[in-house]
Amino acid sequence: MAEKDDYLLDLLVDLGFTNAGQVAAARAEASAAGMGIVDTLVANQVIRPGDVTQAKAAQFGAEVVNLGAMKIEDEVLSIIPRHVAKKYRVLPLFKSEGKVAVAIADPSDLNTIDSLHHLLNAEIELRVASEADIEAALNRYYGGEKKALDAGVFKDVIQELTEADVQIGKTEDDGGAVDADGPLIRLVNQIIVDAFKLRASDIHLEPLEKRFRLRYRIDGVMQEMKSPPKRLQPSIIARLKIQSNMIISEHRIPQDGRIQTKVGSKLIDLRVSCLPTNHGESIVMRILDKEGLKLGLPELGFFTDDQATFERLIAMPDGILLVTGPTGSGKTTTLYSCLHYINRPDKKIITVEDPVEYILAGINQVQVSEQVGLTFAMALRAILRQAPNVVMIGEIRDLETASIAINASLTGHLVFSTLHTNDAPGAVARLVDIGVKPFLVASSTRCLMAQRLVRKICKKCTQPYEPTESEMRALGITPEMVRGATLMKGRGCNNCNNTGNRGRFGVFEIFVIDDEARKLIYDQAPTSVLRSRAREMGMRTLREDGVRKILAGLTTPEEVIRSTVGDEA
């Protein structure tokens, strides 16, 4: 071991990361403290962990990889099973012509490399990454150390489940008695309880060829958990279909339902979707904590200047404010926070939603129901006769809904809604594409805001971070910008499930419509021209707002790159 350390120290000196005098001083200190020499150099900040990674790679002629900037496909991850990847601390990167490239922190670990060679029956190509990067990547792709399901629950199910329990779906459907404390029911309940405790937004139960995969989406990122036994797949699906009032004998068409349950003293709703696939029915449950939405505008992620602009816009007496972005980008949460901000006894606020996700005190909320003919358009026509000051429409999906919303805004109502577009100026083209006349868009629209969600750095394990050249180049960060800022990154701890991130907030692109922008919309100017006008007015793009939050130490370059696209030149 000492020989290997000496060779690594020589490399660190040869590469210019340290010098012989610093090594000698660290050797004496390490001997007194009972530490390794390299660890002492890192602890004293003589060298950085990244320097050690570079030296290890040079020692074996291997390439250093930035795992945070890579996207590894599920097909590649399946090459090395989860337990093997966790045991050996390796990550598969790609496979080609009988070779498997893996990322490893210690390329001198010949036992691991030899074990992988025999296990995979393939030649192993080494890439080197830091231990912290490999740990974060393993948690990101394979799930953290914190297991979602107690092993005891599985043990109970396997030991106690009888043939009658396996047919539990049929028993319930036939009106037979069901043991509320039965092992299968406890297993399904435990899946939901653990998801809630881990702050998951979705539960995914996916039937694959040889296993029944369980994944939670936590802070917007899928994390794989310990999977239930494949043979319990039909029973678990039947149980969930019954709880959500679906037809359990129907396996050929998609179905939707809802489950309401208690976790401790909290009442939560789950929106359940069932989709037939090759290997059985896939179940996705979206968790809605009706008591959990207490967000003010600062908690959304606005900086002071953007918050002041947004507060001025949502206090206007009329017009339309549209929040745009893909599914899961936090649009509805932003609108709820707006309503919470302006909700006062002197204002009548009505919402039309599908579904009503959170209960807001003092606000009239209408649930759309296609089964009885209560569409967005019908509900809107009805609520305008209720003389509201503010109307929120869950989503503008068609011309009829858009037309009623615009007419409402032109007759003295403030209208909030969402739209699926990639950026703020693109919302204009989307409305025109739906069939709205450009002059109506121009006269009614007050503000278009695009948003994305990025993960926050965990406050309990945050530490200074030096971005790579590729990250700085991708984000347009200059050395001068970094010089006056402290970039941070989470190390990983129990508080954040070893991911380095806990919670999410928004990055925003706010396009305030002025008279010149209205003229451009009226003249049907292309989106690129509108975007140029917005930039002239001082609109920051999503990525530029993300960079501000990186430099403030709130999130990481990896998160902003993942969630936003590069700005046009």
Side-chain angles (χ1 to χ4, degrees):
M1 183 61 73
E3 237 178 74
K4 187 171 78 169
D5 282 351
D6 286 342
Y7 189 71
L8 183 59
L9 289 166
D10 290 342
L11 271 172
L12 287 166
V13 173
D14 291 343
L15 292 170
F17 293 132
T18 184
N19 58 53
Q22 291 170 326
V23 170
R27 194 185 296 275
E29 184 180 338
S31 177
M35 290 175 61
I37 303 168
V38 175
D39 292 338
T40 302
L41 287 168
V42 172
N44 292 341
Q45 299 185 348
V46 175
I47 59 174
R48 299 171 303 175
D51 300 336
V52 180
T53 304
Q54 292 276 5
K56 286 180 178 179
Q59 183 178 357
F60 288 87
E63 177 188 343
V64 176
V65 290
N66 179 7
L67 297 178
M70 298 178 72
K71 174 69 175 75
I72 304 171
E73 301 297 331
D74 286 349
E75 185 180 347
V76 175
L77 293 170
S78 65
I79 295 170
I80 300 180
R82 179 184 188 277
H83 69 281
V84 174
K86 290 276 188 176
K87 176 181 178 181
Y88 292 113
R89 321 304 296 164
V90 296
L91 193 76
L93 303 177
F94 61 84
K95 181 178 182 179
S96 64
E97 299 177 357
K99 297 179 181 179
V100 176
V102 299
I104 190 170
D106 184 5
S108 66
D109 188 351
L110 299 180
N111 287 334
T112 291
I113 297 165
D114 189 51
S115 298
L116 287 174
H117 171 68
H118 288 292
L119 180 71
L120 304 178
N121 193 27
E123 184 181 338
I124 305 300
E125 283 191 6
L126 295 182
R127 303 288 188 273
V128 182
S130 69
E131 289 184 10
D133 276 0
I134 286 180
E135 180 68 27
L138 286 171
N139 289 328
R140 184 163 68 249
Y141 291 114
Y142 290 105
E145 292 300 324
K146 196 171 184 179
K147 301 296 186 295
L149 287 172
D150 188 337
V153 176
F154 280 122
K155 187 176 178 182
D156 288 346
V157 173
I158 293 167
Q159 287 180 350
E160 299 175 31
L161 205 58
T162 65
E163 190 62 31
D165 291 316
V166 174
Q167 300 299 325
I168 189 169
K170 293 180 181 178
T171 306
E172 288 189 274
D173 197 39
D174 293 341
V178 176
D179 180 6
D181 296 320
L184 183 66
I185 294 175
R186 283 188 284 124
L187 171 60
V188 172
N189 290 343
Q190 190 69 37
I191 288 172
I192 295 171
V193 168
D194 284 337
F196 184 79
K197 287 180 178 177
L198 290 175
R199 302 175 298 103
S201 58
D202 309 310
I203 303 169
H204 295 252
L205 284 158
E206 303 160 311
L208 306 179
E209 185 178 2
K210 295 181 180 177
R211 62 192 182 108
F212 189 34
R213 181 166 66 178
L214 171 64
R215 294 194 289 177
Y216 294 161
R217 191 186 299 277
I218 302 172
D219 293 333
V221 177
M222 297 286 273
Q223 295 192 26
E224 187 165 345
M225 303 299 169
K226 185 173 180 180
S227 299
K230 175 71 173 176
R231 71 183 184 85
L232 298 183
Q233 176 181 314
S235 310
I236 292 172
I237 291 173
R239 172 64 187 164
L240 288 169
K241 287 172 75 174
I242 286 166
Q243 280 186 284
S244 49
N245 293 317
M246 297 181 191
I247 304 169
I248 68 164
S249 58
E250 180 56 74
H251 307 288
R252 300 163 299 173
I253 60 173
Q255 297 186 71
D256 293 305
R258 304 193 74 156
I259 297 174
Q260 191 171 79
T261 187
K262 269 196 168 185
V263 177
S265 60
K266 275 189 175 277
L267 184 68
I268 62 170
D269 267 8
L270 296 102
R271 286 166 55 188
V272 186
S273 170
C274 180
L275 180 71
T277 69
N278 281 350
H279 304 293
E281 291 169 288
S282 172
I283 297 277
V284 175
M285 293 177 277
R286 185 174 182 194
I287 300 173
L288 306 174
D289 174 14
K290 288 186 177 293
E291 303 169 11
L293 188 84
K294 295 182 176 64
L295 285 182
L297 292 178
E299 286 80 12
L300 293 177
F302 285 111
F303 275 168
T304 308
D305 52 351
D306 283 343
Q307 184 177 332
T309 300
F310 200 62
E311 286 177 355
R312 175 175 60 82
L313 289 165
I314 64 179
M316 287 183 171
D318 56 26
I320 290 183
L321 188 148
L322 286 176
V323 181
T324 77
T327 301
S329 59
K331 302 186 297 296
T332 303
T333 301
T334 296
L335 292 187
Y336 276 131
S337 298
C338 292
L339 296 182
H340 180 72
Y341 179 80
I342 64 175
N343 185 18
R344 298 192 304 271
D346 62 338
K347 286 184 185 282
K348 183 176 178 74
I349 302 173
I350 306 181
T351 74
V352 186
E353 304 171 62
D354 182 23
V356 173
E357 295 191 11
Y358 301 98
I359 305 300
L360 299 175
I363 292 176
N364 302 277
Q365 295 173 269
V366 178
Q367 168 83 50
V368 168
S369 176
E370 299 284 349
Q371 290 86 348
V372 297
L374 183 59
T375 61
F376 273 108
M378 178 183 285
L380 267 176
R381 276 192 292 267
I383 67 174
L384 290 178
R385 293 193 286 272
Q386 297 271 315
N389 301 104
V390 180
V391 177
M392 185 193 106
I393 307 165
E395 182 185 345
I396 291 179
R397 301 178 179 177
D398 52 44
L399 176 58
E400 190 177 11
T401 305
S403 299
I404 298 170
I406 286 173
N407 288 333
S409 71
L410 294 172
T411 53
H413 303 86
L414 180 61
V415 179
F416 296 115
S417 191
T418 69
L419 203 62
H420 287 285
T421 63
N422 289 328
D423 60 4
V428 173
R430 175 67 181 141
L431 286 172
V432 173
D433 185 54
I434 286 173
V436 181
K437 301 294 184 187
F439 76 90
L440 289 174
V441 178
S443 55
S444 63
T445 309
R446 296 283 180 268
C447 173
L448 303 168
M449 185 177 82
Q451 73 174 66
R452 299 291 187 277
L453 292 177
V454 295
R455 292 186 292 174
K456 294 180 187 176
I457 298 170
C458 175
K459 291 181 180 178
K460 293 195 175 179
C461 63
T462 183
Q463 61 183 13
Y465 170 70
E466 187 170 327
T468 64
E469 285 186 16
S470 61
E471 287 174 337
M472 292 177 65
R473 189 166 54 250
L475 294 168
I477 298 176
T478 63
E480 290 74 23
M481 294 164 71
V482 175
R483 200 171 295 129
T486 304
L487 276 70
M488 310 296 284
K489 189 171 186 176
R491 183 178 62 253
C493 63
N494 289 334
N495 182 58
C496 60
N497 200 21
N498 289 316
T499 62
N501 301 285
R502 183 181 173 91
R504 290 188 291 174
F505 63 89
V507 292
F508 304 98
E509 183 175 283
I510 304 174
F511 181 14
V512 180
I513 308 296
D514 65 354
D515 289 339
E516 186 175 335
R518 284 194 183 88
K519 186 176 185 307
L520 290 172
I521 295 170
Y522 182 82
D523 293 338
Q524 300 187 49
T527 300
S528 57
V529 175
L530 278 175
R531 190 170 186 80
S532 297
R533 172 58 190 157
R535 297 295 298 275
E536 289 170 9
M537 291 170 59
M539 180 189 83
R540 294 184 190 86
T541 64
L542 290 165
R543 182 156 283 192
E544 287 169 345
D545 192 42
V547 168
R548 287 206 301 167
K549 287 159 186 175
I550 291 170
L551 298 175
L554 301 174
T555 189
T556 62
E558 176 191 345
E559 277 297 297
V560 174
I561 291 171
R562 179 180 65 84
S563 301
T564 64
V565 295
D567 303 321
E568 296 176 7

